[in-house]
Amino acid sequence: MLMLANEMWWTGEQAGLFGGFAGSMCGVLGASIGVIVPLLANKGKGRNLVYGMFVGMAALGVLALSIGCFALIKDQPYHVWYPGLLLGFILTVLACSIFPVVVLRYRQAEHRLMD
């Protein structure tokens, strides 16, 4: 059992596939957020959908970040921990930095509707 703990979780080729596939899917998520937010937030519609997308994006980022940190703590090779840390960092920072702007857009839309 001790020997299994010291083995690599995946090979460099598998890490490349994981990084490419996960990065592409996160890019699609970011692009869909980038298209949906201006369409819905300026009108004050779809708040639950948009907020849910940001929560999902942040949750995926924290999950990937924690997997990368765990792999780093377990002394896994570079190709094991790097994709998780990179993907998690990007998703978490983007979700947390853009979310206040989206909240502000919804507040502005509410004020326009009240006027």
Side-chain angles (χ1 to χ4, degrees), residues 29-84:
L29 176 64
S32 63
I33 288 174
V35 169
I36 290 173
V37 167
L39 293 175
L40 296 178
N42 290 336
K43 297 176 185 175
K45 297 182 180 181
R47 181 180 311 218
N48 291 336
L49 172 68
V50 172
Y51 285 2
M53 291 175 82
F54 273 100
V55 168
M57 185 175 178
L60 284 174
V62 169
L63 178 66
L65 198 59
S66 63
I67 290 172
C69 287
F70 187 70
L72 189 60
I73 290 170
K74 291 293 184 180
D75 291 329
Q76 290 292 314
Y78 172 80
H79 66 269
V80 174
W81 56 263
Y82 183 73

